[in-house]
Each structure stands twice: as structure tokens, then as C-alpha cells.
Amino acid sequence: MSRLPKATSLAVLVAVAAVSLQALLVPLFAGPAANLEPRDLPIAVAGPAPAADQLAARLAAAHPGAFDVRVVADPDAAIRNRDVYGAIVLGPQGPSLHVASAAGPTVASLLTQATATLGEGRPVPVVDVVPADADDPRGAGFGSGFLPLAMTSLLAGILTFLLVKRRGARLLALGTFAVLAGLCGAAVQQYWLGVLPGDYLSNAAVMGLFGLAVAGTVAGLAAVLDRAGLALGALTVFLVGNALSGVSSAAELLPQPWGAVGQLLPIGAGSTLLRSVAYFDGNGAGAAIWVLCAYAVGGLVLVAVGRRGLAGPAAEVAPVPVEREPALAL
């Protein structure tokens, strides 16, 4: 049997590799989206002590593993502090549901459905303690706005490695990108599209930190591992991170431990941080800040110590020709 020509073998190998990648990416993206359900989702119950305790036990028994039910004295404060996603408040007129659609409209809708039977035939009133932006009531603009920022940050990291050949210039490029990406991204979402509330400079700082975390990580990995680092950065930070981010839902709705893993990657941490800063005065932002700072600082360190893709010493310092005087004849 004659061997296949080299070009034909390569073509078949490329096709098989592409289909294999497709087989991995489809469940990575579609799997979490198709299995959205509460998994230890923090919610609160507030009201008279005996009735509140009984309702908490009833919810835990009716939905095992779905909710992390806590009895609190001030349900609205617990929601604003991002301790819980919603609260069932027992009052003289019956139960009411307090939610924060700004924390995720999907979660608010799910809690509304899950508590519909508590009214015993009467509708359960819903109070939106922290509503989503009026121009983005379903949160679609917030979720969609993160993807372009992640894509441009990935591209900035790749281009910095491929086109900038000196360490100092690479660090300058990444820092400049982070500042401009934050200022521009916040301006577009707040003043042009109107889908993001809050303080402009605070939102810009979050977007800038996120951009630096993504671009710095990709450029840093490449500076150490060369083009394999680019592939690793794109796969981990962008593809896997986007699929597990919970930007349009919540980490507690994704299959575990993938929801928790997504919060340890830049896109998941970045979306959590931006929600906290834009809607909740920074409450619940601590872990996300540390995650993004770790990626940003780690990426910059790798850029500073990595040697891949740098111009050679001969290109950095051009040799100066030295003319020799002719030897004197004796």
C-alpha cells in the first residue's frame, strides 16, 4: 500500500484536529448553559423567629442542595451587601420576595418561579431592591459588553508579544492598553449605550484592570513559552474562562465545581467585580479584585523575565566599527 503524500496527510490531520476541538468546545459552552439550576444559591428568610426558621427548613427540604438558606434580620441589607441573591420576607399580609435583578436577571426570574407557590393561591409580591439599569432590564447589554473587551484584551496580548520586541516597550504597551481600554470601555457602556450605571472612573478602573489581567497573562505566557503560550492563554483565559464565567447568569447556577472555577479566571472575576462596583457600591468585590490583580501582576512579571520573541543583543546595541591605525614600519 502506497503511503499518502505529505500534504494529504497534513490536510487530514488538520481536519481531525479541528473536529476534535469542536467536540470539546460544544459541550464546554452548551453544557453549562443547558444545566442552569441553583446550586447552594444564597438566599435569606426574614420575619418572626418561629415562622422564619420553619420556612427556611421547608425550603431546604423541598429543594435539597439548591439553596443556602439564611435567616436574617435585615433582608435588604443582606442583598445590597451581596451576601444573598434574594430574600423571602414574611409580613402581616403574607410572604413577599425581595430580589436584586442587578445581580443577575436570570437569578431573579428563577427565584420568582421557585417561590410562586408560597402565596397559597395568591401572587407573591416581588420587590426589586437593586434593579438592573433601566436601559438594560434583562442584563443582555452587560453580558454582551464583556465579550468585546475580552476579545480586544486577548488581541492586545498577542500583538504585544508578536510586534513589540523589547521588555520595557512591552510593559509600556500593556499599561497603555489597560488605561485606554478602561476609559474607552466605560465611556461606551455608560455614556453611549447607557447600559451601565455607577461612577465612571470606578467602572473604568475595573475594565482597565480586567484588560491588563487578560492581555498581561497572554503576553506573559508567550514571553516564557513562545507561541505555545499564546495558545495556552487563549484557551484558558478566553475560551474556558468565557464558558464558565456566568456573566449572563450566576456562578451558583452553573454545574460545580465549574462555576467556582470560572470565578478564578479573569472573565468570571471581572464580571463579578464590575457588577459589584457598578450596582452594589463595591460590596462583594474582594475575591474578584485579588483574582484579577494576581493575573495582572503575574503576567507583567512573566513579561519582565521572559526571553521569547525579544530582539537579539546585536539588534539592541549596534556594533560601532573601530578603525585601526596602520602599524608603523620598523
Side-chain angles (χ1 to χ4, degrees):
M1 181 182 296
S2 61
R3 298 178 62 184
L4 291 173
K6 185 177 180 180
T8 303
S9 301
L10 181 59
V12 173
L13 181 62
V14 168
V16 171
V19 172
S20 300
L21 180 62
Q22 172 185 296
L24 293 174
L25 290 180
V26 169
L28 177 64
F29 280 83
N35 293 279
L36 290 179
E37 60 182 50
R39 296 169 173 88
D40 289 325
L41 185 75
I43 63 172
V45 174
D53 292 335
Q54 292 172 6
L55 178 57
R58 175 182 165 188
L59 288 172
H63 306 279
F67 299 115
D68 175 11
V69 186
R70 311 168 186 182
V71 178
V72 301
D74 191 341
D76 290 355
I79 292 174
R80 292 192 179 97
N81 290 334
R82 301 213 73 183
D83 296 327
V84 296
Y85 280 91
I88 301 169
V89 181
L90 301 176
Q93 305 301 321
S96 62
L97 175 65
H98 292 206
V99 298
S101 58
T106 302
V107 181
S109 177
L110 183 148
L111 290 177
T112 302
Q113 296 173 8
T115 58
T117 60
L118 295 179
E120 299 179 352
R122 293 177 298 176
V124 176
V126 178
V127 179
D128 201 342
V129 178
V130 186
D133 191 273
D135 293 323
D136 186 30
R138 295 179 178 84
F142 180 93
S144 299
F146 237 86
L147 183 59
L149 182 56
M151 292 175 64
T152 53
S153 300
L154 175 66
L155 181 61
I158 293 174
L159 293 179
T160 297
F161 170 73
L162 294 178
L163 302 180
V164 183
K165 300 300 182 181
R166 288 174 173 77
R167 289 189 180 92
R170 284 178 174 177
L171 295 173
L172 177 61
L174 293 171
T176 302
F177 166 76
V179 172
L180 295 180
L183 294 173
C184 180
V188 169
Q189 293 199 37
Q190 284 195 254
Y191 301 130
W192 183 359
L193 301 179
V195 298
L196 191 67
D199 179 67
Y200 167 70
L201 290 179
S202 298
N203 292 334
V206 173
M207 293 185 184
L209 177 60
F210 169 75
L212 182 60
V214 174
T217 298
V218 173
L221 288 173
V224 174
L225 303 175
D226 205 11
R227 295 181 185 249
L230 294 179
L232 179 61
L235 177 64
T236 305
V237 174
F238 184 72
L239 292 179
V240 176
N242 187 46
L244 304 181
S245 64
V247 171
S248 58
S249 55
E252 292 85 356
L253 299 186
L254 299 176
Q256 296 300 331
W258 303 119
V261 171
Q263 294 302 299
L264 298 177
L265 297 173
I267 297 180
S271 63
T272 297
L273 180 57
L274 186 58
R275 280 191 193 279
S276 295
V277 170
Y279 288 101
F280 296 91
D281 296 326
N283 293 321
I289 290 177
W290 282 110
V291 169
L292 290 182
C293 287
Y295 278 98
V297 173
L300 294 178
V301 169
L302 292 179
V303 170
V305 301
R307 301 171 60 95
R308 301 289 185 175
L310 295 175
E316 294 182 8
V317 181
V320 178
V322 178
E323 296 182 0
R324 295 184 178 181
E325 296 182 0
L328 297 175
L330 296 178

